[in-house]
Amino acid sequence: MRIVRFDNGGTPCHGILEGDTIHDVDGGLFDGLNKNGNTRTLDSVKLLIPLQPKVFYAAGLNYAEHVREQAELRGEEPKLPENPDIGYRANNALIAHNEDVVIPANAPDTVQYEGEIVCIVGKTAKNLTKENALSCIMGYTVGNDVSERTWQKNDRTMWRAKNTDTFKPMGPWIETDVDLEALTTTVRVNGKQTIQFPTNNFHFGIETFIAAMTTCLTLHPGDMIWMGTEGRAPNLQHNDVVEVDIDGIGTLRNKFVREGQ
Amino acid sequence: MRIVRFDNGGTPCHGILEGDTIHDVDGGLFDGLNKNGNTRTLDSVKLLIPLQPKVFYAAGLNYAEHVREQAELRGEEPKLPENPDIGYRANNALIAHNEDVVIPANAPDTVQYEGEIVCIVGKTAKNLTKENALSCIMGYTVGNDVSERTWQKNDRTMWRAKNTDTFKPMGPWIETDVDLEALTTTVRVNGKQTIQFPTNNFHFGIETFIAAMTTCLTLHPGDMIWMGTEGRAPNLQHNDVVEVDIDGIGTLRNKFVREGQ
Protein backbone atom coordinates (compact mmCIF):
# COMPACT_ATOMS: atom_id res chain seq x y z
CA MET A 1 0.00 0.00 0.00
CA ARG A 2 1.18 3.52 -0.83
CA ILE A 3 0.10 6.26 1.55
CA VAL A 4 0.31 9.84 0.35
CA ARG A 5 -0.19 13.10 2.22
CA PHE A 6 -1.33 16.07 0.19
CA ASP A 7 -2.57 19.64 0.45
CA ASN A 8 -6.39 19.68 0.30
CA GLY A 9 -7.21 23.37 0.07
CA GLY A 10 -4.86 24.26 2.90
CA THR A 11 -5.55 21.17 5.02
CA PRO A 12 -3.09 18.24 5.02
CA CYS A 13 -4.94 15.02 4.11
CA HIS A 14 -3.87 11.42 3.73
CA GLY A 15 -4.84 9.12 0.89
CA ILE A 16 -4.10 5.70 -0.51
CA LEU A 17 -2.46 5.76 -3.92
CA GLU A 18 -3.56 3.08 -6.40
CA GLY A 19 -2.05 3.59 -9.83
CA ASP A 20 -2.48 7.32 -10.40
CA THR A 21 -5.61 7.58 -8.27
CA ILE A 22 -5.63 8.87 -4.70
CA HIS A 23 -8.39 7.48 -2.48
CA ASP A 24 -8.92 9.98 0.35
CA VAL A 25 -8.95 8.57 3.88
CA ASP A 26 -10.48 10.01 7.04
CA GLY A 27 -8.18 11.08 9.86
CA GLY A 28 -4.45 10.80 10.22
CA LEU A 29 -1.81 8.21 9.45
CA PHE A 30 -2.65 6.17 12.56
CA ASP A 31 -6.46 6.42 12.41
CA GLY A 32 -7.15 3.29 10.37
CA LEU A 33 -6.68 4.70 6.86
CA ASN A 34 -10.30 4.10 5.88
CA LYS A 35 -11.23 5.28 2.39
CA ASN A 36 -14.08 7.83 2.50
CA GLY A 37 -15.16 7.47 -1.14
CA ASN A 38 -13.52 10.62 -2.49
CA THR A 39 -10.86 10.20 -5.16
CA ARG A 40 -8.56 12.48 -7.13
CA THR A 41 -5.64 12.07 -9.50
CA LEU A 42 -2.04 12.12 -8.28
CA ASP A 43 -1.07 14.91 -10.69
CA SER A 44 -3.87 17.16 -9.40
CA VAL A 45 -2.42 17.54 -5.89
CA LYS A 46 0.60 19.05 -4.22
CA LEU A 47 2.28 16.29 -2.22
CA LEU A 48 3.37 17.12 1.33
CA ILE A 49 5.96 15.34 3.43
CA PRO A 50 4.37 11.93 4.14
CA LEU A 51 4.11 12.67 7.87
CA GLN A 52 4.99 15.31 10.43
CA PRO A 53 7.43 13.15 12.35
CA LYS A 54 7.93 13.06 16.09
CA VAL A 55 11.54 12.09 16.84
CA PHE A 56 13.76 12.31 13.75
CA TYR A 57 16.48 9.66 14.10
CA ALA A 58 19.34 9.26 11.64
CA ALA A 59 22.05 6.63 11.38
CA GLY A 60 25.41 8.05 10.34
CA LEU A 61 28.38 6.29 8.73
CA ASN A 62 26.29 3.23 7.95
CA TYR A 63 27.72 2.01 4.61
CA ALA A 64 31.38 0.96 4.30
CA GLU A 65 32.32 2.86 1.16
CA HIS A 66 30.75 6.11 2.45
CA VAL A 67 32.78 5.84 5.64
CA ARG A 68 36.01 5.40 3.65
CA GLU A 69 35.22 8.34 1.37
CA GLN A 70 34.20 10.69 4.16
CA ALA A 71 37.39 9.84 6.06
CA GLU A 72 39.47 10.49 2.94
CA LEU A 73 37.82 13.91 2.49
CA ARG A 74 38.85 14.79 6.04
CA GLY A 75 42.36 13.34 5.73
CA GLU A 76 41.60 10.78 8.44
CA GLU A 77 41.85 7.01 8.68
CA PRO A 78 38.51 5.36 7.86
CA LYS A 79 36.89 3.90 10.95
CA LEU A 80 33.62 2.00 10.85
CA PRO A 81 31.48 2.65 13.93
CA GLU A 82 31.82 -0.09 16.53
CA ASN A 83 28.26 0.28 17.81
CA PRO A 84 24.90 1.33 16.34
CA ASP A 85 24.82 4.75 18.06
CA ILE A 86 21.88 6.61 16.52
CA GLY A 87 21.94 10.33 15.71
CA TYR A 88 19.32 13.05 15.18
CA ARG A 89 18.07 15.54 12.59
CA ALA A 90 15.48 18.33 12.90
CA ASN A 91 11.99 18.82 11.47
CA ASN A 92 12.52 22.45 10.43
CA ALA A 93 14.60 21.17 7.51
CA LEU A 94 11.96 18.85 5.99
CA ILE A 95 10.54 19.55 2.54
CA ALA A 96 8.38 17.43 0.24
CA HIS A 97 8.89 15.83 -3.15
CA ASN A 98 9.28 18.48 -5.88
CA GLU A 99 10.02 21.31 -3.42
CA ASP A 100 13.32 23.19 -3.81
CA VAL A 101 16.39 22.80 -1.63
CA VAL A 102 17.61 26.35 -1.00
CA ILE A 103 21.36 26.65 -0.46
CA PRO A 104 22.01 29.71 1.76
CA ALA A 105 23.86 32.56 0.05
CA ASN A 106 26.73 32.24 2.56
CA ALA A 107 27.13 28.46 2.23
CA PRO A 108 30.39 27.14 0.73
CA ASP A 109 30.20 25.32 -2.60
CA THR A 110 30.22 21.85 -1.03
CA VAL A 111 26.55 20.90 -0.78
CA GLN A 112 25.95 17.21 -1.50
CA TYR A 113 23.07 14.75 -1.57
CA GLU A 114 22.78 11.58 0.53
CA GLY A 115 20.13 9.17 -0.77
CA GLU A 116 18.61 7.11 2.04
CA ILE A 117 15.83 4.73 2.95
CA VAL A 118 13.61 6.04 5.79
CA CYS A 119 11.79 3.74 8.24
CA ILE A 120 8.44 4.99 9.59
CA VAL A 121 7.56 3.75 13.07
CA GLY A 122 3.92 2.67 13.38
CA LYS A 123 3.81 1.07 16.83
CA THR A 124 5.09 1.89 20.30
CA ALA A 125 8.20 -0.21 20.86
CA LYS A 126 10.61 -0.89 23.73
CA ASN A 127 13.10 -3.74 24.23
CA LEU A 128 12.68 -5.27 20.80
CA THR A 129 15.09 -7.95 19.60
CA LYS A 130 16.69 -8.22 16.17
CA GLU A 131 14.15 -10.94 15.44
CA ASN A 132 11.04 -8.82 16.08
CA ALA A 133 12.50 -5.35 15.45
CA LEU A 134 10.72 -4.80 12.14
CA SER A 135 7.34 -5.37 13.80
CA CYS A 136 7.24 -1.69 14.81
CA ILE A 137 7.80 -0.39 11.25
CA MET A 138 4.67 0.53 9.28
CA GLY A 139 6.46 1.38 6.05
CA TYR A 140 9.29 3.13 4.26
CA THR A 141 9.92 6.29 2.30
CA VAL A 142 12.89 7.97 0.63
CA GLY A 143 15.05 10.72 2.11
CA ASN A 144 17.82 13.01 0.92
CA ASP A 145 20.10 13.91 3.84
CA VAL A 146 21.51 17.04 2.16
CA SER A 147 24.86 18.00 3.72
CA GLU A 148 27.12 21.03 3.53
CA ARG A 149 30.51 19.32 3.83
CA THR A 150 32.61 22.36 4.83
CA TRP A 151 30.23 23.21 7.68
CA GLN A 152 30.04 19.52 8.59
CA LYS A 153 33.83 19.39 8.87
CA ASN A 154 34.35 22.65 10.75
CA ASP A 155 31.35 23.15 13.05
CA ARG A 156 31.15 21.57 16.51
CA THR A 157 27.69 20.12 15.71
CA MET A 158 25.87 19.35 12.44
CA TRP A 159 23.21 22.02 13.04
CA ARG A 160 23.55 23.94 9.76
CA ALA A 161 25.53 21.32 7.80
CA LYS A 162 22.56 18.96 8.00
CA ASN A 163 19.59 20.94 9.38
CA THR A 164 19.46 24.17 7.41
CA ASP A 165 15.87 24.85 6.28
CA THR A 166 15.00 22.70 3.19
CA PHE A 167 18.00 20.35 3.64
CA LYS A 168 15.84 17.29 4.36
CA PRO A 169 13.68 16.35 1.35
CA MET A 170 11.46 13.34 2.09
CA GLY A 171 8.88 11.42 0.05
CA PRO A 172 7.11 11.02 -2.25
CA TRP A 173 4.99 8.63 -0.14
CA ILE A 174 5.10 5.77 2.38
CA GLU A 175 5.21 2.25 0.93
CA THR A 176 4.11 -0.47 3.34
CA ASP A 177 4.92 -3.56 1.25
CA VAL A 178 8.69 -3.75 1.02
CA ASP A 179 11.20 -6.57 0.62
CA LEU A 180 14.33 -4.93 2.00
CA GLU A 181 16.66 -7.46 0.38
CA ALA A 182 15.23 -6.71 -3.08
CA LEU A 183 15.77 -2.91 -2.95
CA THR A 184 18.29 -0.90 -4.94
CA THR A 185 19.00 2.79 -4.31
CA THR A 186 19.88 4.87 -7.37
CA VAL A 187 20.73 8.57 -7.39
CA ARG A 188 20.60 10.71 -10.53
CA VAL A 189 21.72 14.32 -10.99
CA ASN A 190 20.04 16.05 -13.94
CA GLY A 191 18.93 12.65 -15.18
CA LYS A 192 22.38 11.04 -15.11
CA GLN A 193 23.05 8.20 -12.66
CA THR A 194 25.77 9.06 -10.15
CA ILE A 195 25.56 6.07 -7.81
CA GLN A 196 23.67 2.80 -7.35
CA PHE A 197 23.87 0.43 -4.38
CA PRO A 198 21.92 -2.37 -2.68
CA THR A 199 19.78 -0.52 -0.14
CA ASN A 200 20.04 -3.24 2.50
CA ASN A 201 23.86 -3.38 2.42
CA PHE A 202 24.12 -1.50 5.73
CA HIS A 203 27.03 -1.62 8.15
CA PHE A 204 24.40 -2.01 10.90
CA GLY A 205 21.01 -3.18 9.65
CA ILE A 206 17.62 -1.73 10.57
CA GLU A 207 16.96 -4.61 12.98
CA THR A 208 20.32 -4.03 14.73
CA PHE A 209 19.63 -0.32 15.19
CA ILE A 210 16.10 -0.83 16.50
CA ALA A 211 17.16 -3.57 18.92
CA ALA A 212 19.94 -1.35 20.29
CA MET A 213 17.88 1.85 20.42
CA THR A 214 14.95 0.26 22.24
CA THR A 215 17.16 -0.91 25.11
CA CYS A 216 17.11 2.72 26.32
CA LEU A 217 14.33 4.53 24.49
CA THR A 218 10.75 4.01 23.45
CA LEU A 219 9.90 4.36 19.78
CA HIS A 220 6.49 5.95 19.15
CA PRO A 221 4.15 6.00 16.15
CA GLY A 222 5.30 8.84 13.92
CA ASP A 223 8.99 8.57 14.79
CA MET A 224 11.25 7.90 11.83
CA ILE A 225 14.74 6.55 11.25
CA TRP A 226 16.91 7.60 8.29
CA MET A 227 19.37 4.80 7.57
CA GLY A 228 22.39 6.51 6.02
CA THR A 229 23.88 6.49 2.54
CA GLU A 230 26.64 4.94 0.45
CA GLY A 231 29.49 6.38 -1.57
CA ARG A 232 30.66 9.86 -2.47
CA ALA A 233 28.58 12.60 -4.06
CA PRO A 234 29.43 15.57 -6.30
CA ASN A 235 29.06 19.18 -5.17
CA LEU A 236 25.68 20.41 -6.37
CA GLN A 237 25.18 23.57 -8.40
CA HIS A 238 22.33 26.06 -8.80
CA ASN A 239 19.43 24.43 -10.72
CA ASP A 240 20.71 20.85 -10.36
CA VAL A 241 17.88 18.33 -10.03
CA VAL A 242 18.53 15.34 -7.76
CA GLU A 243 16.44 12.18 -7.88
CA VAL A 244 16.77 9.52 -5.20
CA ASP A 245 15.07 6.38 -6.42
CA ILE A 246 14.49 3.25 -4.38
CA ASP A 247 12.78 0.75 -6.63
CA GLY A 248 9.69 -0.60 -4.96
CA ILE A 249 9.28 2.55 -2.87
CA GLY A 250 9.44 5.57 -5.16
CA THR A 251 11.48 8.44 -6.59
CA LEU A 252 12.13 11.62 -4.60
CA ARG A 253 12.94 14.57 -6.87
CA ASN A 254 14.13 18.02 -5.77
CA LYS A 255 15.78 20.96 -7.47
CA PHE A 256 18.68 22.71 -5.72
CA VAL A 257 18.78 26.49 -5.97
CA ARG A 258 21.17 28.97 -4.43
CA GLU A 259 19.55 31.76 -2.41
CA GLY A 260 19.64 35.09 -4.26
CA GLN A 261 20.42 33.63 -7.70
CA MET B 1 2.21 35.01 33.83
CA ARG B 2 2.68 31.34 34.71
CA ILE B 3 1.25 28.83 32.23
CA VAL B 4 0.73 25.27 33.44
CA ARG B 5 -0.25 22.14 31.52
CA PHE B 6 -2.04 19.44 33.47
CA ASP B 7 -3.92 16.18 33.13
CA ASN B 8 -7.66 16.86 33.04
CA GLY B 9 -9.16 13.38 33.22
CA GLY B 10 -6.87 12.05 30.52
CA THR B 11 -6.83 15.21 28.38
CA PRO B 12 -3.89 17.63 28.54
CA CYS B 13 -5.15 21.13 29.35
CA HIS B 14 -3.46 24.49 29.81
CA GLY B 15 -4.16 26.93 32.59
CA ILE B 16 -2.88 30.17 34.05
CA LEU B 17 -1.48 29.83 37.56
CA GLU B 18 -2.22 32.68 39.98
CA GLY B 19 -1.05 31.91 43.50
CA ASP B 20 -2.20 28.33 44.04
CA THR B 21 -5.19 28.64 41.70
CA ILE B 22 -5.22 27.37 38.13
CA HIS B 23 -7.54 29.23 35.76
CA ASP B 24 -8.36 26.87 32.89
CA VAL B 25 -7.93 28.24 29.38
CA ASP B 26 -9.49 27.07 26.12
CA GLY B 27 -7.27 25.60 23.43
CA GLY B 28 -3.53 25.17 23.31
CA LEU B 29 -0.50 27.22 24.24
CA PHE B 30 -0.77 29.36 21.10
CA ASP B 31 -4.55 29.82 21.02
CA GLY B 32 -4.77 33.05 23.03
CA LEU B 33 -4.78 31.59 26.57
CA ASN B 34 -8.30 32.85 27.32
CA LYS B 35 -9.64 31.89 30.75
CA ASN B 36 -12.90 29.92 30.45
CA GLY B 37 -14.10 30.48 34.00
CA ASN B 38 -13.15 27.08 35.46
CA THR B 39 -10.65 27.02 38.29
CA ARG B 40 -8.92 24.36 40.36
CA THR B 41 -6.11 24.26 42.90
CA LEU B 42 -2.53 23.51 41.90
CA ASP B 43 -2.24 20.63 44.36
CA SER B 44 -5.32 18.93 42.89
CA VAL B 45 -3.75 18.25 39.48
CA LYS B 46 -0.96 16.21 37.98
CA LEU B 47 1.31 18.60 36.10
CA LEU B 48 2.45 17.55 32.61
CA ILE B 49 5.45 18.82 30.66
CA PRO B 50 4.55 22.45 29.88
CA LEU B 51 4.38 21.77 26.13
CA GLN B 52 4.92 18.99 23.61
CA PRO B 53 7.84 20.65 21.86
CA LYS B 54 8.55 20.62 18.16
CA VAL B 55 12.31 20.90 17.63
CA PHE B 56 14.27 20.30 20.85
CA TYR B 57 17.46 22.40 20.68
CA ALA B 58 20.19 22.28 23.32
CA ALA B 59 23.32 24.37 23.77
CA GLY B 60 26.29 22.37 24.98
CA LEU B 61 29.43 23.56 26.78
CA ASN B 62 27.89 26.96 27.45
CA TYR B 63 29.32 27.91 30.88
CA ALA B 64 33.07 28.28 31.39
CA GLU B 65 33.46 26.25 34.59
CA HIS B 66 31.40 23.34 33.19
CA VAL B 67 33.66 23.21 30.12
CA ARG B 68 36.76 23.07 32.34
CA GLU B 69 35.31 20.35 34.53
CA GLN B 70 34.07 18.19 31.67
CA ALA B 71 37.48 18.42 29.98
CA GLU B 72 39.20 17.43 33.22
CA LEU B 73 36.94 14.37 33.54
CA ARG B 74 38.02 13.31 30.05
CA GLY B 75 41.69 14.09 30.61
CA GLU B 76 41.61 16.74 27.88
CA GLU B 77 42.54 20.41 27.67
CA PRO B 78 39.50 22.64 28.29
CA LYS B 79 38.37 24.35 25.10
CA LEU B 80 35.49 26.79 25.00
CA PRO B 81 33.45 26.54 21.79
CA GLU B 82 34.45 29.17 19.22
CA ASN B 83 30.96 29.44 17.74
CA PRO B 84 27.38 29.03 19.00
CA ASP B 85 26.77 25.67 17.27
CA ILE B 86 23.47 24.39 18.62
CA GLY B 87 22.78 20.72 19.40
CA TYR B 88 19.69 18.54 19.76
CA ARG B 89 17.86 16.35 22.24
CA ALA B 90 14.82 14.08 21.76
CA ASN B 91 11.21 14.24 22.97
CA ASN B 92 11.01 10.58 24.02
CA ALA B 93 13.10 11.48 27.08
CA LEU B 94 10.84 14.24 28.44
CA ILE B 95 9.10 13.84 31.80
CA ALA B 96 7.25 16.31 33.97
CA HIS B 97 7.85 17.83 37.40
CA ASN B 98 7.57 15.16 40.13
CA GLU B 99 7.92 12.23 37.71
CA ASP B 100 10.79 9.78 38.28
CA VAL B 101 14.01 9.59 36.30
CA VAL B 102 14.58 5.86 35.74
CA ILE B 103 18.25 4.88 35.40
CA PRO B 104 18.45 1.74 33.22
CA ALA B 105 19.66 -1.38 35.02
CA ASN B 106 22.68 -1.62 32.70
CA ALA B 107 23.74 2.03 33.07
CA PRO B 108 27.08 2.75 34.77
CA ASP B 109 27.05 4.59 38.09
CA THR B 110 27.80 8.00 36.54
CA VAL B 111 24.38 9.58 36.07
CA GLN B 112 24.43 13.33 36.79
CA TYR B 113 22.05 16.27 36.68
CA GLU B 114 22.47 19.43 34.60
CA GLY B 115 20.23 22.30 35.76
CA GLU B 116 19.28 24.58 32.87
CA ILE B 117 17.04 27.42 31.81
CA VAL B 118 14.81 26.53 28.84
CA CYS B 119 13.58 29.10 26.28
CA ILE B 120 10.15 28.49 24.73
CA VAL B 121 9.74 29.86 21.21
CA GLY B 122 6.38 31.60 20.68
CA LYS B 123 6.76 33.16 17.23
CA THR B 124 8.08 32.09 13.84
CA ALA B 125 11.55 33.60 13.48
CA LYS B 126 14.22 33.81 10.76
CA ASN B 127 17.22 36.13 10.43
CA LEU B 128 16.87 37.75 13.84
CA THR B 129 19.64 39.95 15.21
CA LYS B 130 21.07 39.95 18.73
CA GLU B 131 19.03 43.09 19.33
CA ASN B 132 15.62 41.57 18.48
CA ALA B 133 16.39 37.89 19.18
CA LEU B 134 14.34 37.68 22.37
CA SER B 135 11.21 38.87 20.51
CA CYS B 136 10.51 35.25 19.48
CA ILE B 137 10.61 33.89 23.05
CA MET B 138 7.26 33.56 24.83
CA GLY B 139 8.66 32.42 28.17
CA TYR B 140 11.00 30.20 30.12
CA THR B 141 10.93 26.99 32.08
CA VAL B 142 13.43 24.80 33.92
CA GLY B 143 15.14 21.68 32.55
CA ASN B 144 17.37 18.94 33.90
CA ASP B 145 19.61 17.62 31.11
CA VAL B 146 20.32 14.29 32.86
CA SER B 147 23.51 12.73 31.51
CA GLU B 148 25.17 9.34 31.82
CA ARG B 149 28.84 10.39 31.72
CA THR B 150 30.39 7.01 30.83
CA TRP B 151 28.07 6.59 27.85
CA GLN B 152 28.63 10.25 26.93
CA LYS B 153 32.38 9.69 26.90
CA ASN B 154 32.42 6.37 25.03
CA ASP B 155 29.52 6.42 22.54
CA ARG B 156 29.82 8.00 19.09
CA THR B 157 26.64 10.05 19.69
CA MET B 158 24.79 11.16 22.84
CA TRP B 159 21.72 9.05 22.06
CA ARG B 160 21.53 7.10 25.34
CA ALA B 161 23.82 9.32 27.44
CA LYS B 162 21.35 12.19 27.08
CA ASN B 163 18.16 10.78 25.51
CA THR B 164 17.33 7.63 27.46
CA ASP B 165 13.60 7.62 28.36
CA THR B 166 12.96 9.91 31.41
CA PHE B 167 16.36 11.67 31.15
CA LYS B 168 14.85 15.08 30.32
CA PRO B 169 12.72 16.42 33.20
CA MET B 170 11.14 19.77 32.34
CA GLY B 171 8.83 22.13 34.24
CA PRO B 172 7.04 22.87 36.44
CA TRP B 173 5.51 25.61 34.19
CA ILE B 174 6.29 28.38 31.73
CA GLU B 175 6.97 31.83 33.20
CA THR B 176 6.54 34.70 30.73
CA ASP B 177 7.77 37.60 32.90
CA VAL B 178 11.50 37.07 33.35
CA ASP B 179 14.45 39.40 33.92
CA LEU B 180 17.31 37.19 32.72
CA GLU B 181 19.96 39.27 34.50
CA ALA B 182 18.22 38.80 37.85
CA LEU B 183 18.05 34.98 37.74
CA THR B 184 20.02 32.54 39.87
CA THR B 185 20.08 28.79 39.25
CA THR B 186 20.38 26.60 42.35
CA VAL B 187 20.54 22.80 42.40
CA ARG B 188 19.82 20.74 45.51
CA VAL B 189 20.24 16.99 46.03
CA ASN B 190 18.09 15.61 48.85
CA GLY B 191 17.54 19.18 50.04
CA LYS B 192 21.24 20.11 50.20
CA GLN B 193 22.55 22.76 47.82
CA THR B 194 25.23 21.41 45.45
CA ILE B 195 25.70 24.38 43.11
CA GLN B 196 24.49 27.94 42.57
CA PHE B 197 25.29 30.22 39.62
CA PRO B 198 23.99 33.32 37.83
CA THR B 199 21.70 31.88 35.14
CA ASN B 200 22.62 34.49 32.54
CA ASN B 201 26.39 33.94 32.86
CA PHE B 202 26.51 32.02 29.57
CA HIS B 203 29.54 31.58 27.34
CA PHE B 204 27.18 32.45 24.44
CA GLY B 205 23.99 34.24 25.47
CA ILE B 206 20.46 33.42 24.35
CA GLU B 207 20.49 36.35 21.91
CA THR B 208 23.77 35.16 20.37
CA PHE B 209 22.44 31.64 19.84
CA ILE B 210 19.15 32.78 18.33
CA ALA B 211 20.82 35.27 15.98
CA ALA B 212 23.24 32.57 14.77
CA MET B 213 20.63 29.80 14.50
CA THR B 214 18.18 31.88 12.52
CA THR B 215 20.73 32.60 9.80
CA CYS B 216 20.09 29.05 8.56
CA LEU B 217 16.93 27.79 10.20
CA THR B 218 13.44 28.95 11.03
CA LEU B 219 12.31 28.79 14.64
CA HIS B 220 8.64 27.85 15.06
CA PRO B 221 6.14 28.27 17.91
CA GLY B 222 6.63 25.28 20.18
CA ASP B 223 10.35 24.85 19.55
CA MET B 224 12.50 25.09 22.65
CA ILE B 225 16.14 25.79 23.43
CA TRP B 226 17.91 24.38 26.51
CA MET B 227 20.78 26.69 27.40
CA GLY B 228 23.36 24.47 29.13
CA THR B 229 24.60 24.23 32.69
CA GLU B 230 27.47 25.27 34.94
CA GLY B 231 29.88 23.33 37.12
CA ARG B 232 30.32 19.69 38.08
CA ALA B 233 27.69 17.38 39.52
CA PRO B 234 27.85 14.33 41.78
CA ASN B 235 26.89 10.84 40.61
CA LEU B 236 23.28 10.26 41.61
CA GLN B 237 22.08 7.26 43.59
CA HIS B 238 18.81 5.33 43.81
CA ASN B 239 16.16 7.49 45.57
CA ASP B 240 18.09 10.76 45.29
CA VAL B 241 15.79 13.75 44.79
CA VAL B 242 17.11 16.56 42.60
CA GLU B 243 15.64 20.06 42.62
CA VAL B 244 16.61 22.59 39.98
CA ASP B 245 15.44 25.99 41.11
CA ILE B 246 15.57 29.17 39.05
CA ASP B 247 14.21 31.96 41.21
CA GLY B 248 11.52 33.84 39.36
CA ILE B 249 10.66 30.81 37.23
CA GLY B 250 10.14 27.82 39.52
CA THR B 251 11.53 24.63 41.03
CA LEU B 252 11.70 21.37 39.07
CA ARG B 253 11.83 18.33 41.36
CA ASN B 254 12.43 14.70 40.33
CA LYS B 255 13.40 11.53 42.10
CA PHE B 256 16.04 9.28 40.54
CA VAL B 257 15.42 5.54 40.77
CA ARG B 258 17.42 2.66 39.36
CA GLU B 259 15.42 0.20 37.24
CA GLY B 260 14.79 -3.06 39.06
CA GLN B 261 15.63 -1.78 42.55
Side-chain angles (χ1 to χ4, degrees), chain A:
Chain A
M1 183 168 62
R2 288 191 169 167
I3 309 162
V4 293
R5 185 163 165 270
F6 60 94
D7 178 25
N8 188 7
T11 303
C13 288
H14 284 91
I16 295 168
L17 180 65
E18 296 175 356
D20 290 328
T21 301
I22 296 172
H23 298 262
D24 294 8
V25 301
D26 288 328
L29 191 55
F30 305 108
D31 296 326
L33 297 172
N34 298 308
K35 294 179 186 174
N36 64 17
N38 295 330
T39 62
R40 58 194 78 219
T41 59
L42 178 59
D43 63 7
S44 72
V45 304
K46 173 174 164 36
L47 289 179
L48 304 176
I49 53 172
L51 79 166
Q52 274 289 354
K54 293 187 174 173
V55 182
F56 185 164
Y57 295 100
L61 305 175
N62 203 29
Y63 289 85
E65 197 58 34
H66 181 69
V67 171
R68 275 191 285 275
E69 291 176 333
Q70 287 298 305
E72 190 183 304
L73 281 174
R74 293 160 172 267
E76 298 169 358
E77 284 297 305
K79 192 176 161 191
L80 279 162
E82 293 175 15
N83 297 295
D85 296 331
I86 199 71
Y88 300 90
R89 304 281 184 272
N91 286 2
N92 68 288
L94 290 168
I95 59 170
H97 177 64
N98 275 337
E99 292 187 322
D100 290 351
V101 176
V102 180
I103 303 170
N106 69 332
D109 192 23
T110 48
V111 173
Q112 300 181 354
Y113 63 74
E114 292 191 358
E116 315 203 347
I117 189 171
V118 175
C119 311
I120 309 297
V121 175
K123 290 182 187 163
T124 302
K126 185 92 201 302
N127 290 322
L128 295 184
T129 63
K130 284 190 198 179
E131 288 67 35
N132 65 14
L134 296 184
S135 65
C136 73
I137 301 299
M138 73 168 298
Y140 300 86
T141 187
V142 181
N144 187 344
D145 187 13
V146 175
S147 307
E148 213 304 313
R149 299 298 182 200
T150 306
W151 286 345
Q152 186 177 354
K153 183 177 175 186
N154 296 336
D155 292 349
R156 196 178 66 80
T157 72
M158 295 201 287
W159 72 281
R160 58 178 177 169
K162 296 270 191 181
N163 298 305
T164 288
D165 286 345
T166 76
F167 271 26
K168 291 290 155 290
M170 170 171 72
W173 43 64
I174 296 169
E175 172 61 61
T176 62
D177 302 316
V178 165
D179 174 5
L180 288 171
E181 271 301 313
L183 300 182
T184 299
T185 304
T186 306
V187 184
R188 291 182 289 271
V189 178
N190 303 324
K192 188 179 166 189
Q193 181 180 313
T194 50
I195 193 168
Q196 187 170 69
F197 57 93
T199 312
N200 207 29
N201 194 28
F202 304 113
H203 176 52
F204 292 117
I206 297 170
E207 301 91 331
T208 301
F209 261 103
I210 290 174
M213 291 163 70
T214 61
T215 59
C216 285
L217 59 86
T218 304
L219 290 171
H220 297 278
D223 290 348
M224 64 178 183
I225 313 170
W226 291 39
M227 288 304 301
T229 198
E230 179 58 302
R232 173 182 293 183
N235 297 331
L236 296 166
Q237 309 299 324
H238 182 61
N239 280 333
D240 279 349
V241 174
V242 175
E243 290 172 296
V244 182
D245 174 85
I246 304 184
D247 59 331
I249 301 180
T251 302
L252 171 67
R253 181 187 305 105
N254 301 87
K255 188 164 76 173
F256 285 61
V257 297
R258 186 170 275 271
E259 185 184 26
Q261 283 200 3

